[in-house]
């Protein structure tokens, strides 16, 4: 019995040290000491809000309780520190950027952007948000760039706002937060949005939001698996796959789509999507429209898609994506204020990749794809 007890104590201390090692190497926690500032950092998925958007969330809270994003915002609205950070671009944000060594935030209206209310409210909120964003950039031209909002609820007016935001306000690209009223952008009625985006050569960042209510109910586990722990990736990865399969990239070969969170797991799935699509005609993957894509699904991912590192400070994942997509299709992002700036900056500065490639990922690709002004 004594021996057993000693063995038990030995094995439990071994377990304890294994747990300690595991904790040090856990995804997101850099085991190495902070490597310090090394690269110019342009962060490309950085959220802001404006009082008019907060007002919309408050209104929706009264009317749309079935929507998981409304339910989530009812919680966020009560978090004073988070709301303060979303609404600030002139004070704390800049000092956090300085502390982390982050040069530029490419700002975007926080998810789900303008996509909760009716078409008129959404369209006018997009206009206000884009005007406000242009003013923020004007106040801090070396620290901010911005992605314009548009309201998919009214594709024709969205197309006009896209043109105004890029040509008149000189914003740097576009953002949309996945589905709108459970509709996805592969629906032909949204084509005016892609026509407008490609006409002004603006990349569209597809940012997550929660899946529509019927799908979101299956995310309720012991911990609700909505939002960033799982549901966002499921929703946004699905959106990307719908676009690929719809043939939209055959119609708009120059369309650029950006996905956050290391590509929402899409780059991990290339072999399987190609293999199954090649067998599409034969069985359960038969095309409803009879359309046949001109290229393999993975070809569109490699050519039309760009991914960012937002909220995924994991070097193993970065190395994998670098291997699959190459250095020209990956952009640095933090996901401020939802994730930590110092940790994300350290992750990038210590990236285990050739320096020339990290220069592209840290800032060069953002300067190219979002036309962010280079340093100096
Ligand atoms: Mn985000």
């Amino acid at each position: 019995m004594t021996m057993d007890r000693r063995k038990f104590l030995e094995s439990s201390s071994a377990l304890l040290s294994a747990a300690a090692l595991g904790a040090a190497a856990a995804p997101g926690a850099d085991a190495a000491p902070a490597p310090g500032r090394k690269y110019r950092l342009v962060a490309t998925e950085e959220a802001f809000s404006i009082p008019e958007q907060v007002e919309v969330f408050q209104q929706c809270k009264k009317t749309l309780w079935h929507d998981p994003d409304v339910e989530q915002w009812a919680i966020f609205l009560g978090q004073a520190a988070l709301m303060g950070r979303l609404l600030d671009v002139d004070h704390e944000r800049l000092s956090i950027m300085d502390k982390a060594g982050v040069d530029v935030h490419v700002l975007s209206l926080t998810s789900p952007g303008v996509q909760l209310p009716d078409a008129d409210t959404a369209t006018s909120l997009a206009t206000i948000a884009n005007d406000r964003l242009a003013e923020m950039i004007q106040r801090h031209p070396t620290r901010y760039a911005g992605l314009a909002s548009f309201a998919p609820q009214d594709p024709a007016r969205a197309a006009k706002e896209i043109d105004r935001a890029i040509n008149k306000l000189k914003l740097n690209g576009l953002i949309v937060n996945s589905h709108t009223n459970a509709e996805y952008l592969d629906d032909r009625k949204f084509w005016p949005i892609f026509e407008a985006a490609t006409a002004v050569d603006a990349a569209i960042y597809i940012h997550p939001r929660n899946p529509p209510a019927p799908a979101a109910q299956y995310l309720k586990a012991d911990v609700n698996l909505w939002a960033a722990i799982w549901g966002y990736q499921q929703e946004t990865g699905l959106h990307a796959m719908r676009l690929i399969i719809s043939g939209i990239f055959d119609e708009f070969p120059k369309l650029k789509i950006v996905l956050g969170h290391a590509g929402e797991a899409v780059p991990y799935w290339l072999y399987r999507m190609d293999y199954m699509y090649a067998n599409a005609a034969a069985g359960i993957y038969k095309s409803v429209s009879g359309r046949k894509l001109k290229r393999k699904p993975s070809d569109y991912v490699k050519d039309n898609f760009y991914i960012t590192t937002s909220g995924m400070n994991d070097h193993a994942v970065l190395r994998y994506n670098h291997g699959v997509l190459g250095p020209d299709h990956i952009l640095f992002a933090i996901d401020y204020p939802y994730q930590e700036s110092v940790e994300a900056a350290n992750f990038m500065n210590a990236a285990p990749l050739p320096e020339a490639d990290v220069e592209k990922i840290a800032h060069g690709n953002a300067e190219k794809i979002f036309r962010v002004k280079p340093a100096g």
Side-chain angles (χ1 to χ4, degrees):
M1 283 310 280
T2 322
M3 283 297 281
D4 284 352
R5 187 148 182 252
R6 188 164 59 83
K7 272 187 183 158
F8 171 75
L9 286 172
E10 273 171 11
S11 63
S12 51
S13 92
L15 276 172
L16 277 174
S17 40
L21 285 170
D30 284 302
R37 190 186 177 91
K38 185 169 178 190
Y39 299 98
R40 170 174 159 81
L41 295 179
V42 175
T44 54
E45 191 201 301
E46 315 315 322
F48 76 97
S49 187
I50 54 173
E52 290 85 347
Q53 186 193 30
V54 174
E55 177 59 27
V56 165
F57 289 148
Q58 262 150 1
Q59 289 301 320
C60 290
K61 196 172 122 182
K62 291 176 199 156
T63 54
L64 282 174
W65 266 102
H66 62 278
D67 187 292
D69 278 333
V70 174
E71 196 182 329
Q72 191 175 315
W73 270 98
I75 297 168
F76 283 166
L77 288 171
Q79 296 178 0
L82 174 69
M83 294 314 297
R85 286 185 173 187
L86 282 169
L87 291 163
D88 159 67
V89 295
D90 297 313
H91 305 289
E92 191 193 10
R93 183 184 300 252
L94 290 168
S95 63
I96 289 171
M97 289 166 70
D98 290 341
K99 186 179 153 216
V102 173
D103 295 273
V104 177
H105 271 192
V106 180
L107 300 167
S108 49
L109 190 67
T110 199
S111 182
V114 305
Q115 288 161 257
L116 287 173
D118 63 90
D120 285 347
T121 309
T123 302
S124 93
L125 182 58
T127 307
I128 295 166
N130 293 339
D131 286 346
R132 230 37 89 65
L133 181 53
E135 289 160 21
M136 294 166 190
I137 297 165
Q138 214 161 35
R139 286 204 299 281
H140 306 281
T142 62
R143 307 307 302 275
Y144 296 136
L147 306 182
S149 297
F150 57 87
Q153 290 94 323
D154 186 336
R157 282 193 285 175
K160 280 188 191 154
E161 183 57 17
I162 287 168
D163 181 71
R164 186 186 81 95
I166 303 298
N167 283 330
K168 186 160 173 261
L169 301 179
K170 306 292 179 196
L171 294 178
N172 302 77
L174 306 165
I175 188 149
V176 68
N177 300 282
S178 201
H179 76 87
T180 307
N181 297 321
E183 291 184 316
Y184 291 82
L185 295 171
D186 59 318
D187 190 314
R188 226 188 146 102
K189 74 179 188 181
F190 295 115
W191 278 22
I193 290 166
F194 297 116
E195 279 162 11
T198 49
V200 295
D201 189 28
I204 306 176
Y205 203 123
I206 305 186
H207 185 279
R209 65 176 290 190
N210 280 302
Q217 70 175 300
Y218 300 108
L219 293 168
K220 287 187 190 281
D222 183 47
V223 165
N224 194 348
L225 297 174
W226 65 352
I229 193 170
W230 187 259
Y232 281 172
Q233 166 270 321
Q234 166 186 322
E235 162 68 17
T236 318
L238 169 68
H239 204 147
M241 280 305 292
R242 292 188 68 116
L243 289 181
I244 291 163
I245 290 304
S246 75
I248 196 97
F249 300 107
D250 289 335
E251 294 297 325
F252 301 97
K254 290 188 170 158
L255 180 61
K256 296 189 190 86
I257 300 290
V258 184
L259 295 175
H261 317 101
E264 311 291 4
V266 172
Y268 198 74
W269 217 250
L270 301 186
Y271 171 86
R272 201 157 163 83
M273 69 175 79
D274 284 349
Y275 183 91
M276 295 301 161
Y277 187 76
N279 294 294
I284 60 169
Y285 306 111
K286 193 171 182 296
S287 164
V288 176
S289 66
R291 184 187 303 107
K292 176 92 181 74
L293 296 179
K294 288 185 183 159
R295 309 171 67 196
K296 294 199 301 282
S298 66
D299 290 334
Y300 304 107
V301 177
K302 289 174 183 175
D303 283 357
N304 296 92
F305 282 80
Y306 296 80
I307 67 166
T308 81
T309 63
S310 61
M312 191 65 106
N313 304 317
D314 184 332
H315 285 151
V317 173
L318 178 65
R319 270 197 300 263
Y320 172 81
N321 278 325
H322 176 266
V324 171
L325 303 175
D328 298 312
H329 284 246
I330 307 174
L331 289 74
F332 173 63
I334 301 165
D335 208 356
Y336 181 91
Y338 302 103
Q339 305 248 168
E340 289 299 319
S341 296
V342 171
E343 188 197 319
N346 288 346
F347 157 79
M348 195 77 267
N349 283 317
L353 297 172
E355 280 193 19
D357 290 357
V358 185
E359 292 286 357
K360 290 178 175 184
I361 295 167
H363 66 96
N365 293 335
E367 287 157 2
K368 208 161 128 190
I369 290 140
F370 290 132
R371 294 187 283 263
V372 174
K373 231 182 308 166

